[in-house]
Amino acid sequence: MIEVKNVSMSFRISQDRIQSIKEYLVALIKGKLKYKDFWALRDVSFSVHPGEVLGIIGHNGAGKSTVLKVISGILKPTSGSVSVHGNIVPMLELGSGFDFDLTGRENIFLNGAILGYSRKFLNEKYDDIVAFSELGEFIEMPIRNYSSGMLMRLAFSIATVVNPEILIVDEILAVGDESFQRKSRQRMMELMSGGTTVLFVSHSLEQIREMCDRVLWLDHGQVKMIGEAQEVCDAYQI
Amino acid sequence: MDKKWNLRKGCVLALIGYAVLAVLFYAIAGPQFRVRIDSTDSVSPSASAGEILAGAKLEQRFVSTSDRLTGFSVLCGTFGRQNSGVLHLSLYDETKGQAEKILIEDFSVDLSALQDNSWYTVQLETPLENAIGRNLLLEIFSDDGTLGNAATVYYGNSVATGRVEIASEGWTPLYQNGQPLQGTLCLQTAGETDLWFGRYYWYFAVGVGLLLGLYGWRLCALEKKGKSCLGLKLIHAFTRYRFLIQQLVSRDFKTKYKRSVLGIIWSFLNPLLTMLVQYVVFSTIFKSDIPNFPVYLLTGIVLFNFFNESCGMGITSILGNTSLINKVYVPKYIYPVTRVLSSSINMLFSMVPLLLVILLTRTAITPAILLLPFSLACLICFCTGMVLVLSASMVFFRDTQFLWNVLSMIWMYATPIFYPESIIPARFLAIYKLNPLYHFIRFARTVIMDGISPEPKAYLICLVFAVGSLVIGGLIFRKMQDKFVLYI
């Protein structure tokens, strides 16, 4: 389903961020145009089978989010290749692409379009989304008037209304109040057990153990270990 | 299966559409494709030839530059009084190798109807065919002119180019009774030149149609084999992201006037008010003698405003969508393209006040106005290319937007929006015409104000600028787009 082969990703970090021609020229003349290559990923290879839930763990800055971004096509790897079969719904961050001047209803269509849903699909699922988000009549209000909890609920409802072939999740399980958290967790479990291939990043080993079939452990941009969930988690915890 | 059929259906529809357009095009623009109407410029009058008395003869030799000579005009003077009698304008053919000059036509001018200091225009009864390169002779004489009751003609030795007068060179002087005068007769000739494009139009049309058909066939064949190519990718991307583009455009549109009281009315009001201000300024303070100035001005304003708005907003289209680009994969060109599309819709709205002004000023509306979309489409393509480059360079150098502010101002003054293009000195004209906006706006004005199609060359120029900008912009954008994420 997903095939990641020898992927390396380097960021070129200039010592001070140059953002204007003047700064660039000054730096060039001074000979201070120094770059440092930072390897966020180094020769990472793994594959994910259809229907599998793959957890990704690692310390901060280990390259977890970078892997997800490379797979979802946002970043282009410096070297190596990624092949993906099936449509991806990324849930990297909820509510990206909301426009605060538009109403909740308009945002459902806008955000849905960004996530790649079709108009027909959104029309069909519109009522489900509103019902799940528990927004009721607020849906016709501009979302700049929403509370942050309402925003999260709306975003979560839009993002999880599909049954995508590949779902990419970056620690977003708990949003809203206690009851909505329970509801959203349940929805996630539904999605994950529904034959969807899931890539799942979390710092909570508990969740990982509970949900994942296999786990990928990244350390400083390299694959430290990949294998059975329990096994890797045990090794990670030591 | 369904898709394959759709593609084939689309290709057939495109071909039918093309055929209809080709025929319609010829129906509207045919006359301008076949012949170009041209007129020569006169020298500026500097002196009069004196009263043309009976027995006196003025001779002016000239060479026709058109394929077909249809008429000419002479600047006449009456000394501010009412004269009577007849002035003769006789046109002769003097082509070398002929023993004698041959009279083409003799025109008698009734002096009592002549206006002082005005152009007297005559039309040849039968246009002179194969006129190009022929030596022609115009004789002006009077049968009955007496002192105090005769007309005159003017001559001069300089031509006006914008605001500068330059000495005219290489002109044959006006002869008065066999003696050369210091200058040439103020004479304008009108003629028609046959254009090869009109003659071969149908070959062209069929040829392009065949190419289109072949390409469509190839697309279908490739699709069947499951291969891909640029055309297929474009079609797929369009069908896939159509909904997203729609949503983004409607977002731009909804948010633009969201919290304003008048809302969408501003789309109509803005160009109208700009025109009003500039109209007052340029028709009273700076005298401008452009005929039908309101329409002239508004056409320029609407087109330039579109350019300015789409580029000004498009420049931040990548940076402004940082949060999206960082999180969801969507082809990045979607953002600049939707930005231009939103502005295009805005431009369509501002066509309403333009139409209003056209009706109010009683400008004749002819079928030629159907050609306006061509100019607009070219402008939109051109802007898309510009926005692609600008938004990409904005990611790497934030200075772009400040540079652009200055550049767009220069651009505004370099485009004939509120001044006539005739004030540009001839020696700068070559540089001046490199400005693509000049051509788009001129095209639109010809179509709206003159009610005829521009000459075929204008189509070509517009097309070259539009496609060139789109291709260059697209290539630059494609080369840069993978690095965007690292810099925003």
Side-chain angles (χ1 to χ4, degrees), chain A residues 9 11 17-22 24 69 72-76 90 92-93 96-97 99 101-102 106 109-110 113-115 117-119 122 144, chain B residues 240-241 243-244 246-248 250-251 254-255 258-259 323-330 332 335 395-399 403 482 485-488:
Chain A
M9 184 79 224
F11 294 101
R17 242 179 134 170
I18 291 166
Q19 283 195 332
S20 68
I21 297 172
K22 191 192 108 196
Y24 179 81
K69 282 186 175 179
S72 55
I74 296 163
L75 283 176
K76 205 175 179 183
L92 297 179
E93 199 164 302
S96 44
D99 192 296
D101 276 331
L102 299 180
E106 288 163 335
F109 282 90
L110 177 63
I114 289 166
L115 291 177
Y117 307 165
S118 71
R119 175 192 296 278
L122 279 172
R144 74 185 120 85
Chain B
R240 187 160 170 212
Y241 293 107
F243 179 49
L244 175 61
Q246 251 171 35
Q247 286 296 319
L248 287 173
S250 90
R251 170 190 73 167
K254 278 177 194 155
T255 48
K258 192 79 182 181
R259 296 211 220 170
S323 61
L324 279 181
I325 291 171
N326 265 333
K327 265 132 214 163
V328 191
Y329 173 74
V330 169
K332 293 176 193 72
Y335 303 110
V395 174
F396 302 105
F397 286 114
R398 312 287 151 114
D399 302 32
L403 281 175
D482 291 333
V485 196
L486 310 178
Y487 285 85
I488 55 182

Side-chain angles (χ1 to χ4, degrees), chain B residues 29-70:
Chain B
Q32 282 76 40
F33 281 177
R34 284 191 297 269
V35 289
R36 182 183 67 220
I37 301 205
D38 36 28
S39 62
T40 56
D41 291 329
S42 156
V43 289
S44 310
S46 58
S48 88
E51 287 182 277
I52 302 171
L53 307 173
K57 190 160 78 174
L58 290 166
E59 289 171 302
Q60 177 65 54
R61 290 180 169 77
F62 64 97
V63 178
S64 169
T65 49
S66 310
D67 282 346
R68 204 174 298 116
L69 190 72
T70 55

Side-chain angles (χ1 to χ4, degrees), chain A residues 1-2 47-55 85-86 164-167 189-199 211-214:
Chain A
M1 198 92 188
I2 302 174
S47 60
V48 187
H49 312 299
E52 191 179 41
V53 178
L54 181 79
H85 303 283
E165 283 159 312
I166 301 166
L167 184 68
M189 299 295 275
E190 257 172 53
L191 276 181
M192 288 182 177
S193 57
T196 310
T197 309
V198 183
L199 286 172
M211 292 175 170
C212 299
D213 305 322
R214 289 199 305 152

Side-chain angles (χ1 to χ4, degrees), chain B residues 290-310:
Chain B
I290 306 169
N292 206 351
F293 191 53
V295 177
Y296 183 91
L297 189 60
L298 195 55
T299 314
I301 290 175
V302 166
L303 263 60
F304 188 83
N305 269 7
F306 162 71
F307 169 76
N308 204 19
E309 184 195 295
S310 61

Side-chain angles (χ1 to χ4, degrees), chain B residues 129-288:
Chain B
E129 299 287 341
N130 297 321
I132 192 156
R134 275 214 231 181
N135 295 309
L136 300 170
L137 166 68
L138 178 65
E139 282 189 6
I140 305 174
F141 58 92
S142 170
D143 296 332
D144 45 13
T146 52
L147 271 172
N149 185 22
T152 188
V153 289
Y154 291 95
Y155 65 95
N157 53 13
S158 63
V159 272
T161 55
R163 298 211 158 144
V164 192
E165 299 264 337
I166 56 167
S168 57
E169 285 166 11
W171 294 53
T172 29
L174 176 66
Y175 281 84
Q176 189 169 37
N177 300 328
Q179 295 298 313
L181 295 173
Q182 292 296 312
T184 10
L185 180 70
C186 292
L187 173 75
Q188 289 178 335
T189 61
E192 291 172 353
T193 300
D194 289 320
L195 299 173
W196 56 269
F197 186 73
R199 216 176 308 151
Y200 299 114
Y201 178 80
W202 290 113
Y203 295 102
F204 263 108
V206 172
V208 174
L210 277 178
L211 281 180
L212 265 179
L214 273 176
Y215 189 65
W217 181 71
R218 198 178 93 99
L219 283 186
C220 291
L222 280 175
E223 166 115 46
K224 213 179 248 172
K225 281 191 218 152
K227 282 183 190 161
S228 190
C229 67
L230 189 68
L232 271 183
K233 271 185 199 153
L234 276 178
I235 293 170
H236 285 163
F238 178 73
T239 44
R240 187 160 170 212
Y241 293 107
R242 198 179 45 188
F243 179 49
L244 175 61
I245 292 174
Q246 251 171 35
Q247 286 296 319
L248 287 173
V249 169
S250 90
R251 170 190 73 167
D252 281 342
F253 211 73
K254 278 177 194 155
T255 48
K256 183 169 185 188
Y257 298 121
K258 192 79 182 181
R259 296 211 220 170
S260 63
V261 181
L262 288 178
I264 198 166
I265 298 174
W266 278 116
S267 283
F268 305 102
L269 223 53
N270 240 337
L272 212 56
L273 292 178
T274 323
M275 186 215 71
L276 222 68
V277 171
Q278 296 198 345
Y279 178 70
V280 169
V281 170
F282 289 102
S283 65
T284 57
I285 303 173
F286 302 99
K287 281 274 183 287
S288 132

